[in-house]
Amino acid sequence: MNDHAMDAPYRPAALDKGTQGLIGKGIDRYEGPLKVSGTAPYAVEGAPEGTLYAHIVGAAIGAGKVLSIDTKAAEATPGVIKVIVEHPDFPSSGGSSREPMSDWTDQIDHFGQPIAVIVAESLEIARDAALAVAVTYETREGRFDPAEQTPVVDHKIGFLPNIVIGDVDAAIDAAEVRFDQSYTTPPHFPAALEPHATTAWWEGGDLIVRASLQVLNGARETIATQLGLDQARVRILAPYVGGGFGGKTGVGPETILAAVAAREIGRPVKIALPRRQTAALVHHRGDTVQRIRIGCDADGHIAAFAHDSVTSQKPDKGFLEPVHFGTIPLYAGKHRRFTTALTIVDLPSSGAVRAPGEAVGTFAVECAMDELAEQLGLDPIELRRRNEPETDPTSGKPFSTRLMLQCYEEGARRFGWDQRNPVPGQNREGEWLIGHGMAAALRGNFTVNSEARVTLTAEGRAVIETDMTDIGTGTYTVLAQVAGEMLGLPVSAIDVRLGDSDLPVSAGSGGSFGAGSSGSAVALACEDILAELARRMNAAPEELTLKDGVVSAGGRSSPIADLVRGKPIAAHGKTGPGQVSRRTSQASHGAQFAEVAVNAVTGEIRVRRLIGVFDVGRVLNEKTARNQMVGGMIWGIGYALSEEAVVDTRTGQFVNPDFGEYHVAVHADAPAVECHFIEQVDDQANPVGAKAVGELGISGAGAAVANAVYNATGVRVRDFPITLDKLLAGLPPV
Ligand code: MOS
């Protein structure tokens, strides 16, 4: 086992040498042909013979009690195999990663809470029979409107502490220039295209689930606990996952209920949540109210920065949107206060959605910086430059790597920022008002325990095995690139096996730590293989040159397969956080630029251009990394302009729980999007030197759009999303 926790910087020489020429290269997706030909099996595809279909019946009230459930008519429906109610293993809602689920209860604390499962020969029969289940309830008054609840600051949930340094209030009072504004963001749905789904079956006492999940090891623990099984009796298969958005970091009720039904009936059972049920049974990002107060001098040097937020959660959950997470290392300022208060609601749980914290936090902070710049008569980039910290302004720790200033500069140049008119509402093309805005992007970087096995086969191929998932992010491809570069093999000589909980435990896909953590485990395993190959070549590892399956050293060379000598060489790599992770402040950075056109008559907003320049450490695959960033940036368009989960505060029901009424930005909304990287290997982050990629894309993207809308119109909307009704009254005369 080559176990290297990040107690010191680490940098495999073979990656820097780049002899095979794979690292960073934008090669096509390893599994791409399977996906485009429809042959990559997702969670409910290619189910075993005789698999039954199940549908979850959800509570039709938001708060109260189930008095009776009459299943007779449902059971009598031809094709219905079984109706399950009041089962002890019945989960009432999904959990964030490793959070325990609740057991069956007749107490309803959110709309759509599972109360029965119909298992039938077909999906249509199951859904039809669900309508025949007659339920009576006793309702109680629900806490459905977060705005009406009293926020608690000292709440003890969530992973992010409140932070108070110095005396923010006094410093703001004493400041030459004061800023104080509040911003609100609505509940935000994860929007993975593959349904949250599971096929479950039992082999003897062992449970096998094919599920759409991001983190297999955590999920195995949750499933085993919920079903009262030994973890060794649970196997999860998730070779292909059609997006996660954080919604699949934990285990959903569909996984547990499919397993329960399969055990009760003795046949495989599959459940795929319909989109409308996803809103109730999968966590969403909580709504936020964010107050930003800044005190600075007339030149914009910040003395005090306060980011005080409120977000909501249901009573039994441990997660709290870490709203101020991205604000902590962002700007200078001696006096600092970052708090996120909690309101308790009777709504489906809030949870980790892609870029928890930064996605919403940068929204408010980056709009506030834009407003403050105007108040000071400063260019928004100049204000940020003047407050760029040299070390982490909250912890005082050195940054591992931070190219924020370079991102501003490069982005401004590429975008043509110097052409922007800082006076809003001045730039017209016919009835369109044109505006330009920018924002900083930041996403914290984590390295998470991750293991991988790499085996060099007798044929000279490499096999990578880890329980890591690829949720559309490019994991298969980048792991193949790392191993190929380390061992001097083309990608065609590498087999990547992922998404099986029986394989070495990885970080899983979450928190943008997947590529850096699991890629490092692969690199470390390969270093052990290199050491063995060097022994067999009677050379030192650093003397080896490996390319296209041939190992050379000291003027001799040998096909790698010959060196294997018939007996596969297997190695195990492991990485994880360590002292250097704790001693340094680590994040990815970037600058986002947007050009928008706002119709002066209708208020319609079209985003015309987005340019992002990002500092993500070593880029492992330029194409898949860019794909992640561009996706996040486009997501930011929807976040700024259309995504809004609306709660009916009378019933606690989301009124727009589908893609028809809840609009995620699509191709038609996306203009020309450019993403550029400024690469600097971060050897304090992890052995492959790659920092967080996936979640950085949305960070700041919405704020850049919002700031551009302001620049176009002179109307500042602080209540997101920026829909045209909020603009119309303030638009300048046509
Ligand atoms: Mo993420 S919100 O850790 O997928």
Side-chain angles (χ1 to χ4, degrees):
M1 162 94 75
N2 189 6
D3 183 350
H4 188 94
M6 289 309 291
D7 289 320
Y10 193 85
R11 196 160 171 167
L15 288 187
D16 283 339
K17 272 199 242 160
T19 314
Q20 189 64 31
L22 281 174
I23 285 296
K25 208 169 159 192
I27 63 169
D28 291 347
R29 274 175 202 275
Y30 174 93
E31 80 293 11
L34 292 180
K35 285 185 174 169
V36 296
S37 61
T39 50
Y42 288 85
V44 292
E45 293 178 319
E49 269 293 301
T51 296
L52 297 167
Y53 294 79
H55 182 74
I56 299 171
V57 180
I61 62 166
K65 191 176 176 201
V66 174
L67 295 179
S68 67
I69 305 178
D70 181 349
T71 59
K72 278 194 247 29
E75 278 160 353
T77 306
V80 167
I81 306 291
K82 197 174 176 76
V83 179
I84 303 172
V85 292
E86 299 197 26
H87 191 281
D89 291 332
F90 223 98
S92 71
S93 65
S96 294
S97 193
R98 289 167 203 257
E99 226 177 73
M101 305 174 104
S102 328
D103 286 338
W104 164 262
T105 167
D106 57 3
Q107 300 296 320
I108 301 301
D109 68 1
H110 71 90
F111 194 94
Q113 180 177 319
I115 54 174
V117 181
I118 316 278
V119 188
E121 295 288 355
S122 78
L123 177 61
E124 292 74 16
I125 294 170
R127 293 191 68 163
D128 183 47
L131 299 173
V133 176
V135 188
T136 60
Y137 304 95
E138 180 182 292
T139 57
R140 65 173 163 84
E141 200 169 326
R143 295 161 290 186
F144 301 138
D145 188 353
E148 287 189 354
Q149 315 310 317
T150 309
V152 178
V153 180
D154 189 21
H155 49 67
K156 316 265 190 292
I157 68 164
F159 71 85
L160 190 62
N162 292 325
I163 293 169
V164 181
I165 295 173
D167 188 339
V168 169
D169 295 332
I172 290 177
D173 281 346
E176 274 176 274
V177 178
R178 289 183 282 273
F179 177 86
D180 184 352
Q181 288 293 353
S182 291
Y183 304 82
T184 61
T185 65
H188 189 209
F189 289 144
L193 212 50
E194 184 201 7
H196 291 247
T198 295
T199 306
W201 67 97
W202 295 78
E203 290 178 5
D206 292 352
L207 170 66
I208 299 164
V209 294
R210 301 239 332 260
S212 190
L213 295 168
Q214 295 176 222
V215 187
L216 300 198
N217 189 50
R220 181 164 64 172
E221 192 180 313
T222 307
I223 294 167
T225 306
Q226 184 69 21
L227 297 175
L229 292 170
D230 192 280
Q231 279 195 50
R233 314 220 79 160
V234 179
R235 184 177 182 194
I236 306 172
L237 301 172
Y240 304 102
V241 179
F245 283 73
K248 296 173 182 172
T249 45
V251 174
E254 75 283 356
T255 302
I256 303 299
L257 291 170
V260 166
R263 183 163 61 185
E264 297 276 305
I265 297 165
R267 283 171 68 179
V269 172
K270 62 181 178 181
I271 301 181
L273 295 186
R275 185 68 209 164
R276 296 177 70 88
Q277 249 181 355
T278 304
L281 298 183
V282 177
H283 62 243
H284 58 272
R285 191 197 309 281
D287 57 294
T288 71
V289 180
Q290 303 181 50
R291 183 178 180 197
I292 308 285
R293 292 192 305 146
I294 304 170
C296 63
D297 68 17
D299 294 328
H301 299 108
I302 295 173
F305 199 116
H307 185 185
D308 295 305
S309 308
V310 183
T311 185
S312 62
Q313 179 60 288
K314 70 198 285 282
D316 56 340
K317 293 287 165 186
F319 179 91
L320 193 74
E321 180 72 20
V323 183
H324 58 271
F325 187 47
T327 320
I328 295 171
L330 197 49
Y331 296 117
K334 193 163 168 237
H335 303 271
R336 317 172 69 75
R337 188 175 72 217
F338 309 121
T339 66
T340 301
L342 162 72
T343 53
I344 294 287
V345 290
D346 296 305
L347 295 173
S349 57
S350 55
V353 176
R354 218 165 149 79
E358 292 97 336
V360 267
T362 55
F363 224 144
V365 169
E366 290 304 295
C367 286
M369 288 297 278
D370 199 65
E371 294 199 58
L372 177 62
E374 187 181 41
Q375 191 179 331
L376 291 160
L378 272 182
D379 180 87
I381 296 180
E382 183 54 28
L383 174 63
R384 287 172 174 83
R385 268 198 205 109
R386 289 182 188 183
N387 291 288
E388 173 68 6
E390 279 178 19
T391 55
D392 186 302
T394 300
S395 66
K397 293 174 186 175
F399 296 119
S400 56
T401 51
R402 173 153 163 145
L403 305 179
M404 190 71 105
L405 292 175
Q406 292 87 330
C407 291
Y408 294 146
E409 196 175 320
E410 170 100 1
R413 186 182 61 75
R414 289 182 178 273
F415 188 75
W417 183 252
D418 58 349
Q419 303 296 305
R420 168 185 184 260
N421 185 342
V423 185
Q426 300 297 303
N427 197 352
R428 266 179 189 272
E429 288 176 15
E431 56 182 50
W432 292 92
L433 296 158
I434 313 302
H436 302 96
M438 63 79 61
L442 184 142
R443 165 69 195 171
N445 181 69
F446 308 93
T447 294
V448 173
N449 287 339
S450 207
E451 299 181 35
R453 182 166 55 231
V454 178
T455 308
L456 209 49
T457 69
E459 296 73 38
R461 296 180 64 81
V463 181
I464 300 169
E465 294 173 299
T466 167
D467 82 351
M468 188 59 194
T469 49
D470 185 330
I471 62 172
T473 37
T475 316
Y476 278 104
T477 320
V478 299
L479 295 188
Q481 284 172 281
V482 168
E485 193 62 65
M486 295 290 299
L487 300 175
L489 291 172
V491 166
S492 59
I494 295 172
D495 299 307
V496 188
R497 289 188 56 210
L498 305 180
D500 179 341
S501 64
D502 280 357
L503 298 177
V505 173
S506 73
S509 297
S512 300
F513 46 63
S517 303
S518 67
S520 294
V522 169
L524 290 163
C526 290
E527 292 228 294
D528 265 10
I529 293 178
L530 287 181
E532 180 58 28
L533 293 176
R535 267 193 293 280
R536 296 181 186 194
M537 289 288 286
N538 291 319
E542 57 275 13
E543 291 168 346
L544 296 190
T545 300
L546 299 96
K547 191 164 196 306
D548 296 329
V550 177
V551 187
S552 318
R556 293 161 291 129
S557 66
S558 165
I560 202 165
D562 291 356
L563 287 174
V564 178
R565 298 174 195 150
K567 188 164 176 288
I569 305 172
H572 202 108
K574 180 178 185 211
T575 194
Q579 287 176 35
V580 76
S581 324
R582 292 184 283 276
R583 274 203 310 265
T584 53
S585 173
Q586 300 190 359
S588 296
H589 310 94
Q592 308 256 22
F593 293 79
E595 176 178 308
V596 304
V598 181
N599 190 289
V601 181
T602 65
E604 177 188 354
I605 304 167
R606 302 301 301 178
V607 178
R608 288 184 162 189
R609 284 197 294 148
L610 285 181
I611 293 182
V613 178
F614 303 102
D615 151 34
V616 295
R618 194 197 299 270
V619 176
L620 298 176
N621 178 319
E622 200 276 333
K623 186 189 280 186
T624 56
R626 180 158 39 84
N627 176 255
Q628 286 292 293
M629 301 309 300
V630 167
M633 292 165 76
I634 293 171
W635 194 29
I637 298 175
Y639 203 18
L641 304 181
S642 64
E643 286 196 51
E644 179 176 23
V646 179
V647 177
D648 182 337
T649 53
R650 298 164 305 177
T651 62
Q653 182 177 11
F654 284 118
V655 300
N656 57 341
D658 57 47
F659 287 142
E661 303 268 339
Y662 179 95
H663 186 71
V664 178
V666 294
H667 282 87
D669 301 294
V673 181
E674 280 180 40
C675 157
H676 304 276
F677 296 111
I678 305 180
E679 195 171 355
Q680 181 184 353
V681 175
D682 191 336
D683 62 8
Q684 301 189 85
N686 49 55
V688 294
K691 297 193 291 186
V693 174
E695 292 165 311
L696 182 63
I698 193 173
S699 176
V705 171
N707 293 336
V709 170
Y710 172 75
N711 180 250
T713 61
V715 184
R716 177 62 72 172
V717 178
R718 300 186 187 88
D719 172 27
F720 297 109
I722 306 171
T723 46
L724 54 84
D725 53 300
K726 297 173 190 169
L727 283 181
L728 271 177
L731 289 179
V734 181

